[in-house]
Amino acid sequence: MQNSKPKYYLTTPIYYANSRPHVGSAYTTIVCDVIARYKRMCGYDVAYLTGTDEHGVNIERAAEKAGITPQVLVDKNEKIFRDLWKLLGISITDFVRTTSDDHARAVQTLVRRTMERDAQLPPEKRSIYKAKYEGRYCIYDNLYVTDTPEPADCQICGRPAELISEENYFFKLSAYQDRLLELYKTQPQFVQPDFRLNEVRSFVESGLKDVSISRKTIKWGIPWPGDPEHVFYVWYDALTSYMTGVGYGEGLDGEANTRFKKFWPADLHMIGKEIIRFHAVYWPAFLMAAGLELPKRIQAHGWLLFEQEKMSKSKGNVAYAEPIVKTLGNDALRYYLLREVVFGQDGNFSREALITRYNADLANGLGNLASRTLAMVDRYFGGVIPAIEAPAESTLWSKDDLGVTLSKNHAPEAVRVAQDAFGRFDFSAYVSAVWLLVSQVDQFLAIAKPWSVKEFHDLQAILYRAAETLRIAVVLAHPVIPEATQKIWEQLGQAGKLEDIRIDRLEWGGLKPGTKIGKLEAVFPRADKKETLEKIETMENELRNPGSASPAEPKPSAPPTTEADVPKPAAAASPAAVATTEPAKIGIEDFAKVELRVGQVKSADRIQGADKLLKLMVDIGDEVRQVLAGIALGYAPEELVGRKVVVVTNLAPRKMRGLESNGMLLAASAGADGKPILCTFAEDIPVGSKVK
Ligand code: MSP
């Protein structure tokens, strides 16, 4: 049977598969899931795509660091992404891996199609051409440092990068300036929010440079059709995944697939703000060159900050989703992110705030409202939804004077405000509108006091209104908290799946009097803050250092390191040498897992109440890290400033005395009292250099 529903196609960025996803990557995916669910409840046939970006140098590097092949690394991480999306109840229809055969076919088809069109044009008008590329490449870190021939140092190891000169395929982005500006003018919705469109427009107005879209130096990529010495260079490959997912690549023109015909162009590419140029400038130009339709909207959101910075694996300031979901449930994280972050702006992530929100809005708010309303329906009406209205002469309505009586108008007003907010993608306003309704029912029950009402009709009317408003709140909240709302739905005695209810056709009176309610159960048990936090932090530490299961704060009895308060005598300077038991022999690949770099101390301060710890800010080349080091007995803070030290830079962050330490300094412990002596260099050496 032909599906007559209108279509809606949305995508997340495809995430780099070089490490496990954190709450920041989960944020985009959750927001998109809320949109996908909402659109389905508005009657759309929704395709929702996510995936993993598995090519490129950063994957090669991560694999090399882990001592495994890139394929093994991406297979492992792709599974972690998929498992997390499952755990979070993400309703994707498509998952693209850029290493899949389907994707290689799509990328090659797109470029072939573009080159075929080019062949009809004079050479100077062609979009893809071969030319000499010159850039600087670090052979130690396998990284393109700059795309210009001028000398440059690697931002990772500090060594001078080598000049690479090779033939590459280029995309003539410079020829698309006018067409792009015209696009932004005629379709201002193409980039949202508006201020991002302005940024993109000024960038394009300032002139565009052609971009190299292939490389010879890299092996881990999709081969260029008919010229396999070249592989596609990152963005051309990655962006095409949005078409692969809905079937692009079949047939000579690439468009034979019926799914592709139905779903392309995408209605929405949701992205973080840092990748807007690739989406709002490169991508439409690539598609124009191939004569394909453009996506309708690029929506950029802000970053989730953790400890004042963008949550990011390379900075080490990440929180993971799994411990939260396993402790408080999937809905808790989804609700918190949608409610707390003003969509489009940067937002702070805090586990404490998440638990507070959970208790206030979910356990005490919606959860409590559902259980008290339905418990009263059970008690006063034998578990059957009562009749709708009290007679006109009822004394109940005089309580309107109090201005809090829940009238039939509250719910339709909430529906209107919420739907309007959703249309603007103002998710926090959407959630607030629904929770305002929840609190209105609460106030209504507190004032109407059904437990002391004598008049039977009044009691019926009060509880009908409360239960019907609960039904409406639950329908509206479903895209955000799908699990708990489905449970309350069943407790309300409603059959079938809540996701099949039309959110855009919500009307007062949908709850049928006479309906037998379901089995009552608390959906959001209250969480003890301290205990929950500890559980989450313990699980987080386990994810960071598998097998450690160490508590968040090291106990005084923990094996001492230079970070800890209690240095003990130990002979050598490597981190392994401070273990209390005889260290096992390790292979070079294990040692290679420890990333060591030359750092320079920028500032050093004592920590109140800790006589052995110092708080240092250490420049490690591309960032300045906070490191807590147990060296106060050996050094005064002022003698450390400017000093070069050796820093373990890939140690999972740890908290001590409420402060986070992002790394560790190498030091020997001398003499019986274990006085710390910092490792340092006799020769001068650039900050950020790798120590191997
Ligand atoms: N692989 C590219 C995207 C290619 S799309 C054709 C990439 N991957 S990424 O793993 O770095 O993921 C980027 C996306 O993850 C961001 O655009 C954003 O959607 C999400 N986020 C990653 N960290 C985030 C925060 N700290 N906060 C919010 N979103 C974050 O770039």
Side-chain angles (χ1 to χ4, degrees):
M1 200 183 74
Q2 189 71 33
N3 184 346
S4 58
K5 289 178 175 181
K7 70 94 184 176
Y8 189 83
Y9 176 34
L10 81 164
T11 65
T12 71
I14 50 163
Y15 302 101
Y16 286 127
N18 54 348
S19 58
R20 67 162 49 247
H22 49 71
V23 175
S25 13
Y27 175 65
T28 315
T29 317
I30 289 174
V31 168
C32 284
D33 189 59
V34 172
I35 300 172
R37 287 174 182 271
Y38 186 90
K39 285 283 177 186
R40 287 191 191 107
M41 290 176 81
C42 291
Y44 284 84
D45 187 3
V46 173
Y48 172 16
L49 171 141
T50 189
T52 37
D53 195 349
E54 305 186 354
H55 287 130
V57 177
N58 57 358
I59 305 280
E60 278 185 304
R61 279 165 42 81
E64 198 184 278
K65 249 190 205 168
I68 51 181
T69 63
Q71 191 63 57
V72 171
L73 178 83
V74 295
D75 286 351
K76 186 179 120 222
N77 285 339
E78 178 256 357
K79 185 170 176 325
I80 297 177
F81 272 92
R82 270 186 193 275
D83 287 349
L84 177 62
W85 302 152
K86 210 163 162 195
L87 189 69
L88 289 171
I90 305 296
S91 59
I92 45 169
T93 52
D94 299 276
F95 189 100
V96 175
R97 298 185 64 179
T98 57
T99 54
S100 69
D101 292 345
D102 284 352
H103 180 64
R105 189 177 60 182
V107 173
Q108 290 169 341
T109 307
L110 182 65
V111 91
R112 229 187 253 122
R113 179 180 164 125
T114 309
M115 290 169 91
E116 276 163 19
R117 288 169 60 90
D118 273 358
Q120 316 296 320
L121 303 170
E124 70 283 0
K125 294 234 147 143
R126 293 181 184 164
S127 298
I128 293 178
Y129 63 94
K130 229 176 178 181
K132 193 163 136 197
Y133 165 86
E134 285 196 322
R136 292 276 162 180
Y137 185 81
C138 173
I139 50 165
Y140 301 100
D141 289 303
N142 289 332
L143 178 90
Y144 281 94
V145 175
T146 58
D147 285 337
T148 51
E150 289 75 41
D153 293 340
C154 172
Q155 59 266 38
I156 295 188
C157 69
R159 293 181 173 102
E162 309 237 325
L163 179 67
I164 290 275
S165 180
E166 61 177 36
E167 285 269 287
N168 276 180
Y169 286 95
F170 279 78
F171 182 85
K172 199 189 276 227
L173 193 61
S174 57
Y176 285 84
Q177 186 176 17
D178 292 346
R179 272 173 279 182
L180 288 167
L181 291 174
E182 182 63 18
L183 166 69
Y184 308 146
K185 194 165 142 198
T186 52
Q187 288 178 52
Q189 288 293 308
F190 182 71
V191 179
Q192 285 295 305
D194 290 341
F195 71 94
R196 297 267 172 234
L197 175 68
N198 294 338
E199 281 170 22
V200 168
R201 193 189 291 114
S202 330
F203 172 71
V204 174
E205 276 167 355
S206 70
L208 295 171
K209 279 215 246 157
D210 294 353
V211 288
S212 147
I213 54 169
S214 81
R215 284 289 193 274
K216 270 181 162 177
T217 334
I218 300 176
K219 294 283 158 275
W220 184 242
I222 298 171
W224 193 274
D227 199 355
E229 271 202 307
H230 291 258
V231 300
F232 284 86
Y233 191 51
V234 290
W235 283 97
Y236 198 90
D237 167 350
L239 288 160
T240 309
S241 64
Y242 296 144
M243 298 201 301
T244 310
V246 286
Y248 182 73
E250 272 180 27
L252 283 179
D253 60 357
E255 294 182 53
N257 189 298
T258 47
R259 245 187 122 227
F260 180 75
K261 282 190 185 146
K262 170 167 179 178
F263 283 105
W264 193 258
D267 294 272
L268 175 68
H269 290 318
M270 178 72 75
I271 56 168
K273 63 183 180 183
E274 78 287 359
I275 53 176
I276 193 147
R277 283 186 193 170
F278 301 107
H279 284 79
V281 182
Y282 288 29
W283 185 222
F286 293 165
L287 291 168
M288 285 171 183
L292 288 168
E293 280 189 85
L294 310 184
K296 296 196 182 130
R297 181 160 173 173
I298 312 289
Q299 179 83 38
H301 64 67
W303 287 335
L304 212 54
L305 309 177
F306 193 38
E307 286 142 7
Q308 281 79 52
E309 277 196 87
K310 182 189 180 216
M311 190 180 296
S312 127
K313 181 80 193 285
S314 57
K315 294 202 183 101
N317 62 334
V318 286
Y320 293 109
E322 291 89 337
I324 297 164
V325 176
K326 287 181 181 157
T327 314
L328 292 173
N330 168 21
D331 290 338
L333 178 63
R334 296 173 63 110
Y335 177 82
Y336 169 76
L337 291 175
L338 271 281
R339 169 93 197 214
E340 203 84 358
V341 179
V342 176
F343 186 71
Q345 298 176 16
D346 291 352
N348 259 315
F349 177 80
S350 138
R351 299 186 194 98
E352 286 86 347
L354 188 150
I355 302 170
T356 304
R357 275 268 176 226
Y358 171 87
N359 278 329
D361 298 3
L362 297 180
N364 291 349
L366 182 65
N368 185 45
L369 175 69
S371 57
R372 66 199 285 228
T373 305
L374 293 172
M376 284 191 277
V377 170
D378 196 36
R379 192 171 328 129
Y380 302 135
F381 299 102
V384 175
I385 300 290
I388 301 179
E389 284 298 352
E393 70 277 11
S394 165
T395 54
L396 175 68
W397 307 133
S398 66
K399 292 189 176 159
D400 267 335
D401 298 343
L402 297 168
V404 291
T405 300
L406 191 74
S407 72
K408 291 194 281 201
N409 298 330
H410 279 94
E413 173 64 7
V415 171
R416 199 189 55 71
V417 173
Q419 287 173 347
D420 190 51
F422 208 101
R424 287 178 278 116
F425 283 173
D426 186 347
F427 303 112
S428 48
Y430 178 82
V431 175
S432 300
V434 182
W435 260 260
L436 175 66
L437 191 58
V438 168
S439 70
Q440 283 167 339
V441 193
D442 263 338
Q443 286 179 38
F444 167 67
L445 288 175
I447 296 206
K449 295 190 181 54
W451 46 91
S452 59
V453 167
K454 299 281 173 314
E455 177 55 55
F456 183 71
H457 292 297
D458 286 351
L459 188 59
Q460 278 187 322
I462 293 170
L463 284 177
Y464 181 84
R465 287 185 174 204
E468 169 60 353
T469 314
L470 175 66
R471 181 190 73 92
I472 287 178
V474 155
V475 175
L476 288 172
H478 184 64
V480 181
I481 50 168
E483 286 178 12
T485 45
Q486 176 64 36
K487 285 185 195 152
I488 300 176
W489 187 245
E490 285 157 25
Q491 294 183 19
L492 272 163
Q494 304 302 297
K497 292 264 172 254
L498 185 40
E499 66 194 30
D500 296 330
I501 301 300
R502 287 292 291 258
I503 213 165
D504 56 338
R505 293 187 188 157
L506 256 180
E507 273 184 23
W508 181 261
L511 188 59
K512 298 280 161 286
T515 307
K516 180 93 184 89
I517 63 170
K519 189 163 168 272
L520 305 187
E521 256 170 324
V523 283
F524 294 116
R526 259 193 81 79
D528 176 86
K529 194 163 188 176
K530 189 164 169 281
E531 218 174 82
T532 311
L533 206 55
E534 268 172 22
K535 261 198 212 160
I536 292 177
E537 285 180 354
T538 305
M539 281 193 237
E540 287 251 356
N541 280 342
E542 176 61 22
L543 278 181
R544 290 201 181 102
N545 316 309
S548 71
S550 63
E553 291 266 338
K555 300 260 182 310
S557 60
T561 68
T562 47
E563 292 176 290
D565 256 348
V566 208
K568 267 204 188 148
S574 84
V578 291
T580 45
T581 49
E582 181 69 20
K585 293 263 183 290
I586 57 165
I588 186 76
E589 64 290 350
D590 280 334
F591 180 70
K593 288 182 195 155
V594 182
E595 199 179 271
L596 300 167
R597 282 209 238 162
V598 176
Q600 185 167 35
V601 179
K602 293 275 156 209
S603 68
D605 294 288
R606 294 196 188 281
I607 297 172
Q608 231 185 5
D611 51 353
K612 294 176 185 130
L613 269 187
L614 291 182
K615 185 181 94 166
L616 309 176
M617 298 308 288
V618 186
D619 182 356
I620 55 165
D622 48 3
E623 60 179 297
V624 175
R625 295 259 189 105
Q626 174 168 298
V627 176
L628 306 186
I631 53 173
L633 294 184
Y635 298 89
E638 45 295 354
E639 65 181 300
L640 288 168
V641 176
R643 192 171 176 133
K644 300 248 172 94
V645 286
V646 182
V647 189
V648 182
T649 50
N650 64 339
L651 197 68
R654 298 214 293 165
K655 271 207 166 147
M656 285 178 273
R657 309 268 171 179
L659 294 169
E660 189 161 281
S661 182
N662 256 304
M664 183 172 116
L665 304 191
L666 289 195
S669 326
D673 60 351
K675 185 172 172 237
I677 311 266
L678 282 168
C679 291
T680 187
F681 296 90
E683 289 88 11
D684 195 26
I685 175 141
V687 169
S689 304
K690 266 190 178 169
V691 180
K692 295 188 181 178

